[in-house]
Amino acid sequence: PSLYDVDGQSAGVSYEDRVWGLQTDPIFVEARATRNDIGSIDASFTLSDQWTLRSLTGYLVTDTKRPSIDLLTDGAFHEKQFTQEVILSQASERFDTVVGLFMLDEHTTGDRDQARSWEPFLRRDRSVTDVWNVAAYADTRWKVSGPWTVLAGLRLDREDQDFASNNSRVSNANGS
């Protein structure tokens, strides 16, 4: 795992303090370990001497464990992402054209349990994020003459995001 300091300049901690570990409490210093599983498929099909169809598929799973270095904080992120893109392209002496469709489906969960020594309860934070994105696009390049080229394009994009969070405080196991 690599050490990752969650305190930063925005929290009023200077760079030297972060590098040399002079944080106020180790509960805020995370030791993150991330595993990425990635797969992709790129398939192209020649339809004619001018037209090509291409399909790009991607899949990503990320698991990140994020305990604090003193183990009073435990947490994780889990992300799954699927993408699909279909591209139809045409190339000729005077015109190059691309038409495509894109889709992304992403689901992310996060959790964090934190037992701060100065608080009589355990902090439990849970979150879920879903992202759905679809797009259609087209552009064409017209080689007018010599150095002159005209480029025109259009992209339509729709993205929906849902986020839910649940933050609770429960009594510490030590009975306080």
Side-chain angles (χ1 to χ4, degrees), residues 1 9 17 70 73 76 93 130 132 135 146 167 171 175:
Q9 297 289 355
D17 287 347
D70 63 2
T73 298
E93 193 173 307
D130 289 306
W132 172 259
N167 304 312
S171 177

Side-chain angles (χ1 to χ4, degrees), residues 34-95:
T34 299
R35 176 184 169 155
N36 294 310
D37 296 316
I38 302 169
S40 63
I41 299 172
D42 183 349
S44 293
F45 307 95
T46 301
L47 303 176
S48 73
D49 61 336
Q50 292 185 358
W51 290 92
T52 303
L53 181 64
R54 185 175 182 194
S55 173
L56 302 166
T57 305
Y59 188 71
L60 165 72
V61 176
T62 299
D63 287 307
T64 301
K65 295 178 182 175
R66 48 184 265 192
S68 62
I69 60 173
D70 63 2
L71 303 179
L72 293 177
T73 298
D74 191 24
F77 293 115
H78 180 73
E79 175 186 16
K80 285 185 180 180
Q81 186 181 88
F82 175 77
T83 59
Q84 178 65 56
E85 187 167 13
V86 178
I87 305 162
L88 180 64
S89 59
Q90 175 270 337
S92 68
E93 193 173 307
R94 302 226 25 207
F95 291 95

Side-chain angles (χ1 to χ4, degrees), residues 12 14 23 33 48 61 77 79 89 99 109 116 123 144 159 171:
S14 71
Q23 284 72 24
S48 73
V61 176
F77 293 115
E79 175 186 16
S89 59
V99 177
T109 60
R116 297 177 177 178
R123 293 172 174 261
V144 179
E159 182 168 293
S171 177

Side-chain angles (χ1 to χ4, degrees), residues 129-146:
T129 305
D130 289 306
V131 178
W132 172 259
N133 178 263
V134 291
Y137 57 90
D139 67 64
T140 189
R141 182 182 307 237
W142 175 31
K143 302 164 196 160
V144 179
S145 68

Side-chain angles (χ1 to χ4, degrees), residues 94-130:
R94 302 226 25 207
F95 291 95
D96 293 334
T97 303
V98 175
V99 177
L101 297 171
F102 173 81
M103 184 274 302
L104 170 130
D105 185 15
E106 180 179 315
H107 179 77
T108 305
T109 60
D111 63 74
R112 184 181 181 109
D113 294 334
Q114 192 173 67
R116 297 177 177 178
S117 60
W118 60 91
E119 293 178 333
F121 50 81
L122 176 68
R123 293 172 174 261
R124 286 201 161 159
D125 302 321
R126 306 288 183 263
S127 64
V128 176
T129 305
D130 289 306

Side-chain angles (χ1 to χ4, degrees), residues 2-28:
S2 61
L3 290 178
Y4 179 83
D5 184 359
V6 295
D7 282 339
Q9 297 289 355
S10 64
V13 178
S14 71
Y15 175 76
E16 289 78 17
D17 287 347
R18 287 186 290 130
V19 169
W20 299 107
L22 300 176
Q23 284 72 24
T24 57
D25 199 325
I27 195 170
F28 296 116

